[in-house]
Amino acid sequence: MKAIYLFGLFFLTTIFGYSQNTLSLNECYEGLKTNYPLAKQHAILEQQKAVELSAIKAKTLPQLNLNAQATYQSDVTEVPVLNIDIEPLNNDQYRATLTANQLIFNGGKIKASQGLQNTVTDRKQQEVEVNLYQLKQRVNQLYFSILLIDDQTKLLNVREQQLNSKLKEVKSGIENGVLLPTSDKVIEAELLKILQQTKEATNNKSKLIASLSSLIGVSIPVETEFQKPLLSMNASSDLNRPELGLFNLRKQEIGQQQNILSKSLVPELKGFATGGYGNPGLNMLENDFTSYYIVGLKLNWNVFDWNGNKKERQALDYSKELISNQEEVFRLNTNTALNEQKKEIETLESTITIDQQLISLQQEVVNTSESQLRNGVITTSGYITELTKLHETENLFNQHKTQLELAKANYNTLKGDTK
């Protein structure tokens, strides 16, 4: 049992350590979708829908109305019949009634209203998804900026090791009289510059991590390893953006509104029952408190509305056309942006090929300079100049590689192919 416990503890610790010390781009997307404050609206909207549907359903239940009144009249009705003494009504009169109304038929308006409420909630939920999705490009920018700084830091570390190694050789050359006494100072100055650049990179990375952490709602330790994503682009021309779903839901919502309008032309039938107690009751000639009841049916039908309902539905048709036009504009703008992004990707791929050739050539120059420095043919400054050129070329190469991956990520985000 102890062995099983220790194994389980080791397993959990390993999983926890992995999740804490590494971070992927997809995990950032998931964090954004789950933890960004806007995501809380999903639960709120579901609660709101439940209340709205309950309120609509309540209209199918009996509706009770209580009325009570007490009045004093200056005059009352009298019956002038000869030789018959009929007691007139009291000037003060009292009445209390309780009426129950039960909906029997309304042409499916209740069901249509429930359908509209479901669609309205779906549309609001989709709006939240759209707003969250639009933040993905911000996540891309922060994530790949951190990756770029990591690459720059690695290059600085490699260059620092090279210069420290070269510093030992130069000091040995100075001691043997092969090199000038100040030759080591040039390298030491360059090492200070590297230290300064490393600190700047560390500070910039901390700022970017803080921004990314607040965006995805996850605490990110500084020592976290950011995984380089292996991105590929789908050649399909179909867009998968959540905005398209929103356009569709907006049209469905208008369709539901038209459905409710059409059902408002259907007659509405209700049953009612009224129980009352008052003086007088239903018998106006009985001057006494009495109880009574009335039961019956009520029919309500708007037979003619001067085509007002029809015009309202036609106006909603135009609203549908406007949404279709907005969707067309969105598709056009998105496809244009995708073509531009594709051109940028092609340009970066060509640039990276040239960068690799430049690095190879500059490395040969540095190797030659290193040999010349060792033999006292050139000064340390000349060697540092060539080494700096190599470092700058490698930096550009890393920058272009990161820009390429960022362009691919933005392309997938524009197209809607991200998770």
Short mmCIF file of all heavy atoms in Angstrom, two decimals, residues 372-408:
data_model
loop_
_atom_site.label_atom_id
_atom_site.label_comp_id
_atom_site.label_asym_id
_atom_site.label_seq_id
_atom_site.Cartn_x
_atom_site.Cartn_y
_atom_site.Cartn_z
N GLN A 372 42.65 34.96 -37.78
CA GLN A 372 43.51 36.15 -37.92
C GLN A 372 43.82 36.78 -36.58
O GLN A 372 44.93 37.26 -36.34
CB GLN A 372 42.82 37.16 -38.84
CG GLN A 372 42.74 36.73 -40.29
CD GLN A 372 41.93 37.67 -41.15
OE1 GLN A 372 41.08 38.39 -40.63
NE2 GLN A 372 42.16 37.65 -42.46
N LEU A 373 42.82 36.79 -35.66
CA LEU A 373 43.05 37.35 -34.33
C LEU A 373 44.07 36.52 -33.58
O LEU A 373 44.96 37.06 -32.90
CB LEU A 373 41.72 37.40 -33.56
CG LEU A 373 41.80 37.85 -32.10
CD1 LEU A 373 42.29 39.31 -32.02
CD2 LEU A 373 40.45 37.71 -31.41
N ARG A 374 43.93 35.21 -33.71
CA ARG A 374 44.85 34.31 -33.00
C ARG A 374 46.29 34.52 -33.48
O ARG A 374 47.23 34.38 -32.70
CB ARG A 374 44.41 32.86 -33.26
CG ARG A 374 45.08 31.86 -32.34
CD ARG A 374 44.58 30.44 -32.58
NE ARG A 374 43.15 30.32 -32.27
CZ ARG A 374 42.22 30.08 -33.17
NH1 ARG A 374 42.55 29.94 -34.45
NH2 ARG A 374 40.96 29.98 -32.82
N ASN A 375 46.47 34.89 -34.73
CA ASN A 375 47.81 35.09 -35.29
C ASN A 375 48.25 36.55 -35.26
O ASN A 375 49.30 36.89 -35.83
CB ASN A 375 47.85 34.58 -36.74
CG ASN A 375 47.64 33.08 -36.81
OD1 ASN A 375 48.20 32.33 -36.02
ND2 ASN A 375 46.81 32.64 -37.77
N GLY A 376 47.39 37.44 -34.66
CA GLY A 376 47.77 38.84 -34.52
C GLY A 376 47.65 39.64 -35.79
O GLY A 376 48.20 40.75 -35.88
N VAL A 377 46.94 39.13 -36.78
CA VAL A 377 46.79 39.84 -38.06
C VAL A 377 45.79 40.98 -37.92
O VAL A 377 45.97 42.05 -38.52
CB VAL A 377 46.35 38.87 -39.17
CG1 VAL A 377 46.12 39.61 -40.49
CG2 VAL A 377 47.39 37.77 -39.34
N ILE A 378 44.67 40.78 -37.14
CA ILE A 378 43.67 41.83 -36.92
C ILE A 378 43.54 42.10 -35.44
O ILE A 378 44.01 41.32 -34.60
CB ILE A 378 42.29 41.43 -37.49
CG1 ILE A 378 41.76 40.18 -36.78
CG2 ILE A 378 42.35 41.22 -38.98
CD1 ILE A 378 40.31 39.85 -37.11
N THR A 379 42.91 43.22 -35.12
CA THR A 379 42.70 43.59 -33.72
C THR A 379 41.46 42.88 -33.17
O THR A 379 40.65 42.33 -33.92
CB THR A 379 42.50 45.11 -33.57
OG1 THR A 379 41.31 45.48 -34.29
CG2 THR A 379 43.70 45.86 -34.13
N THR A 380 41.31 42.96 -31.86
CA THR A 380 40.12 42.38 -31.22
C THR A 380 38.85 43.07 -31.69
O THR A 380 37.80 42.44 -31.87
CB THR A 380 40.23 42.51 -29.68
OG1 THR A 380 41.50 41.99 -29.26
CG2 THR A 380 39.12 41.73 -29.00
N SER A 381 38.96 44.39 -31.93
CA SER A 381 37.79 45.15 -32.41
C SER A 381 37.30 44.62 -33.74
O SER A 381 36.08 44.52 -33.99
CB SER A 381 38.14 46.63 -32.53
OG SER A 381 38.46 47.17 -31.27
N GLY A 382 38.24 44.28 -34.63
CA GLY A 382 37.85 43.74 -35.92
C GLY A 382 37.12 42.42 -35.78
O GLY A 382 36.13 42.16 -36.47
N TYR A 383 37.60 41.59 -34.85
CA TYR A 383 36.95 40.30 -34.62
C TYR A 383 35.55 40.51 -34.04
O TYR A 383 34.58 39.86 -34.47
CB TYR A 383 37.80 39.46 -33.67
CG TYR A 383 37.10 38.22 -33.17
CD1 TYR A 383 36.90 37.12 -33.99
CD2 TYR A 383 36.63 38.17 -31.85
CE1 TYR A 383 36.24 36.00 -33.54
CE2 TYR A 383 35.98 37.04 -31.38
CZ TYR A 383 35.79 35.96 -32.23
OH TYR A 383 35.14 34.85 -31.76
N ILE A 384 35.44 41.40 -33.06
CA ILE A 384 34.15 41.68 -32.42
C ILE A 384 33.15 42.21 -33.43
O ILE A 384 31.96 41.87 -33.41
CB ILE A 384 34.31 42.68 -31.25
CG1 ILE A 384 35.12 42.04 -30.12
CG2 ILE A 384 32.95 43.14 -30.74
CD1 ILE A 384 34.44 40.84 -29.49
N THR A 385 33.62 43.02 -34.36
CA THR A 385 32.73 43.57 -35.40
C THR A 385 32.10 42.46 -36.22
O THR A 385 30.88 42.45 -36.47
CB THR A 385 33.51 44.52 -36.32
OG1 THR A 385 34.01 45.61 -35.54
CG2 THR A 385 32.60 45.06 -37.42
N GLU A 386 32.92 41.50 -36.64
CA GLU A 386 32.40 40.40 -37.45
C GLU A 386 31.50 39.48 -36.63
O GLU A 386 30.48 38.97 -37.12
CB GLU A 386 33.56 39.59 -38.06
CG GLU A 386 34.45 40.39 -39.01
CD GLU A 386 33.66 41.00 -40.16
OE1 GLU A 386 32.63 40.42 -40.56
OE2 GLU A 386 34.07 42.07 -40.65
N LEU A 387 31.87 39.27 -35.34
CA LEU A 387 31.05 38.43 -34.48
C LEU A 387 29.69 39.08 -34.22
O LEU A 387 28.65 38.40 -34.17
CB LEU A 387 31.77 38.19 -33.15
CG LEU A 387 31.13 37.15 -32.21
CD1 LEU A 387 31.11 35.77 -32.85
CD2 LEU A 387 31.86 37.10 -30.86
N THR A 388 29.70 40.41 -34.10
CA THR A 388 28.44 41.14 -33.90
C THR A 388 27.54 41.02 -35.13
O THR A 388 26.32 40.87 -35.01
CB THR A 388 28.73 42.63 -33.61
OG1 THR A 388 29.53 42.73 -32.42
CG2 THR A 388 27.44 43.41 -33.40
N LYS A 389 28.16 41.09 -36.30
CA LYS A 389 27.38 40.92 -37.54
C LYS A 389 26.71 39.54 -37.58
O LYS A 389 25.55 39.41 -37.97
CB LYS A 389 28.28 41.09 -38.76
CG LYS A 389 28.72 42.53 -39.01
CD LYS A 389 29.61 42.59 -40.25
CE LYS A 389 30.09 44.03 -40.52
NZ LYS A 389 30.99 44.09 -41.69
N LEU A 390 27.46 38.52 -37.15
CA LEU A 390 26.89 37.17 -37.12
C LEU A 390 25.72 37.12 -36.13
O LEU A 390 24.67 36.54 -36.42
CB LEU A 390 27.97 36.16 -36.73
CG LEU A 390 27.49 34.72 -36.54
CD1 LEU A 390 26.91 34.17 -37.84
CD2 LEU A 390 28.63 33.83 -36.05
N HIS A 391 25.92 37.74 -34.97
CA HIS A 391 24.87 37.74 -33.95
C HIS A 391 23.61 38.44 -34.46
O HIS A 391 22.49 37.96 -34.26
CB HIS A 391 25.39 38.42 -32.69
CG HIS A 391 24.37 38.55 -31.60
ND1 HIS A 391 23.95 37.48 -30.85
CD2 HIS A 391 23.68 39.63 -31.15
CE1 HIS A 391 23.04 37.89 -29.98
NE2 HIS A 391 22.86 39.19 -30.14
N GLU A 392 23.80 39.56 -35.14
CA GLU A 392 22.66 40.31 -35.68
C GLU A 392 21.93 39.50 -36.76
O GLU A 392 20.70 39.51 -36.84
CB GLU A 392 23.13 41.65 -36.25
CG GLU A 392 23.58 42.63 -35.17
CD GLU A 392 24.20 43.89 -35.75
OE1 GLU A 392 24.46 43.90 -36.98
OE2 GLU A 392 24.44 44.84 -34.99
N THR A 393 22.72 38.79 -37.58
CA THR A 393 22.11 37.97 -38.63
C THR A 393 21.31 36.82 -38.03
O THR A 393 20.20 36.51 -38.48
CB THR A 393 23.21 37.41 -39.56
OG1 THR A 393 23.99 38.49 -40.08
CG2 THR A 393 22.59 36.66 -40.73
N GLU A 394 21.88 36.20 -36.98
CA GLU A 394 21.16 35.12 -36.31
C GLU A 394 19.91 35.64 -35.62
O GLU A 394 18.86 34.97 -35.58
CB GLU A 394 22.08 34.44 -35.30
CG GLU A 394 23.20 33.62 -35.96
CD GLU A 394 24.20 33.08 -34.95
OE1 GLU A 394 24.37 33.70 -33.88
OE2 GLU A 394 24.81 32.04 -35.24
N ASN A 395 20.01 36.85 -35.05
CA ASN A 395 18.84 37.46 -34.41
C ASN A 395 17.72 37.70 -35.43
O ASN A 395 16.54 37.44 -35.15
CB ASN A 395 19.23 38.80 -33.76
CG ASN A 395 19.41 38.66 -32.25
OD1 ASN A 395 18.82 37.77 -31.63
ND2 ASN A 395 20.22 39.52 -31.67
N LEU A 396 18.10 38.21 -36.59
CA LEU A 396 17.11 38.44 -37.65
C LEU A 396 16.48 37.12 -38.10
O LEU A 396 15.28 37.05 -38.36
CB LEU A 396 17.76 39.14 -38.84
CG LEU A 396 17.95 40.66 -38.71
CD1 LEU A 396 18.73 41.19 -39.91
CD2 LEU A 396 16.59 41.36 -38.63
N PHE A 397 17.32 36.09 -38.18
CA PHE A 397 16.82 34.77 -38.58
C PHE A 397 15.76 34.27 -37.58
O PHE A 397 14.67 33.83 -37.97
CB PHE A 397 18.00 33.80 -38.65
CG PHE A 397 17.61 32.37 -38.89
CD1 PHE A 397 16.95 32.00 -40.04
CD2 PHE A 397 17.91 31.38 -37.95
CE1 PHE A 397 16.58 30.68 -40.27
CE2 PHE A 397 17.55 30.07 -38.17
CZ PHE A 397 16.89 29.71 -39.33
N ASN A 398 16.07 34.38 -36.27
CA ASN A 398 15.12 33.97 -35.24
C ASN A 398 13.86 34.84 -35.26
O ASN A 398 12.74 34.35 -35.08
CB ASN A 398 15.76 34.03 -33.86
CG ASN A 398 16.71 32.87 -33.61
OD1 ASN A 398 16.54 31.79 -34.19
ND2 ASN A 398 17.71 33.08 -32.78
N GLN A 399 14.08 36.13 -35.49
CA GLN A 399 12.94 37.05 -35.54
C GLN A 399 12.01 36.70 -36.70
O GLN A 399 10.79 36.67 -36.54
CB GLN A 399 13.46 38.49 -35.68
CG GLN A 399 12.36 39.53 -35.68
CD GLN A 399 12.91 40.95 -35.77
OE1 GLN A 399 14.05 41.20 -35.43
NE2 GLN A 399 12.09 41.86 -36.23
N HIS A 400 12.61 36.41 -37.84
CA HIS A 400 11.80 36.05 -39.02
C HIS A 400 11.08 34.72 -38.82
O HIS A 400 9.93 34.55 -39.25
CB HIS A 400 12.68 36.01 -40.27
CG HIS A 400 13.18 37.35 -40.69
ND1 HIS A 400 14.39 37.55 -41.32
CD2 HIS A 400 12.64 38.60 -40.53
CE1 HIS A 400 14.58 38.83 -41.56
NE2 HIS A 400 13.53 39.49 -41.08
N LYS A 401 11.75 33.76 -38.15
CA LYS A 401 11.10 32.47 -37.87
C LYS A 401 9.90 32.65 -36.95
O LYS A 401 8.84 32.06 -37.17
CB LYS A 401 12.10 31.50 -37.22
CG LYS A 401 13.09 30.87 -38.19
CD LYS A 401 13.73 29.63 -37.59
CE LYS A 401 14.42 29.92 -36.27
NZ LYS A 401 15.07 28.71 -35.71
N THR A 402 10.08 33.48 -35.92
CA THR A 402 8.97 33.73 -34.99
C THR A 402 7.85 34.48 -35.68
O THR A 402 6.66 34.19 -35.47
CB THR A 402 9.46 34.53 -33.77
OG1 THR A 402 10.55 33.81 -33.14
CG2 THR A 402 8.35 34.72 -32.75
N GLN A 403 8.23 35.46 -36.52
CA GLN A 403 7.21 36.20 -37.27
C GLN A 403 6.43 35.27 -38.20
O GLN A 403 5.22 35.45 -38.40
CB GLN A 403 7.87 37.32 -38.08
CG GLN A 403 8.32 38.50 -37.23
CD GLN A 403 9.07 39.53 -38.06
OE1 GLN A 403 9.50 39.27 -39.18
NE2 GLN A 403 9.24 40.72 -37.49
N LEU A 404 7.14 34.28 -38.76
CA LEU A 404 6.47 33.32 -39.64
C LEU A 404 5.43 32.50 -38.87
O LEU A 404 4.30 32.31 -39.33
CB LEU A 404 7.51 32.39 -40.28
CG LEU A 404 6.95 31.24 -41.14
CD1 LEU A 404 6.16 31.79 -42.32
CD2 LEU A 404 8.09 30.34 -41.63
N GLU A 405 5.83 32.01 -37.68
CA GLU A 405 4.89 31.22 -36.88
C GLU A 405 3.73 32.09 -36.40
O GLU A 405 2.59 31.64 -36.33
CB GLU A 405 5.61 30.58 -35.69
CG GLU A 405 6.66 29.54 -36.07
CD GLU A 405 6.08 28.46 -36.97
OE1 GLU A 405 5.04 27.89 -36.61
OE2 GLU A 405 6.66 28.21 -38.04
N LEU A 406 4.03 33.36 -36.07
CA LEU A 406 2.96 34.28 -35.67
C LEU A 406 2.00 34.53 -36.83
O LEU A 406 0.77 34.56 -36.65
CB LEU A 406 3.56 35.60 -35.19
CG LEU A 406 2.57 36.73 -34.87
CD1 LEU A 406 1.58 36.31 -33.80
CD2 LEU A 406 3.31 38.00 -34.46
N ALA A 407 2.57 34.68 -38.03
CA ALA A 407 1.72 34.90 -39.22
C ALA A 407 0.83 33.68 -39.47
O ALA A 407 -0.34 33.82 -39.83
CB ALA A 407 2.61 35.18 -40.44
N LYS A 408 1.38 32.48 -39.26
CA LYS A 408 0.58 31.26 -39.44
C LYS A 408 -0.54 31.21 -38.38
O LYS A 408 -1.68 30.84 -38.69
CB LYS A 408 1.46 30.02 -39.31
CG LYS A 408 2.39 29.80 -40.50
CD LYS A 408 3.23 28.54 -40.29
CE LYS A 408 4.16 28.28 -41.47
NZ LYS A 408 5.00 27.07 -41.24
#
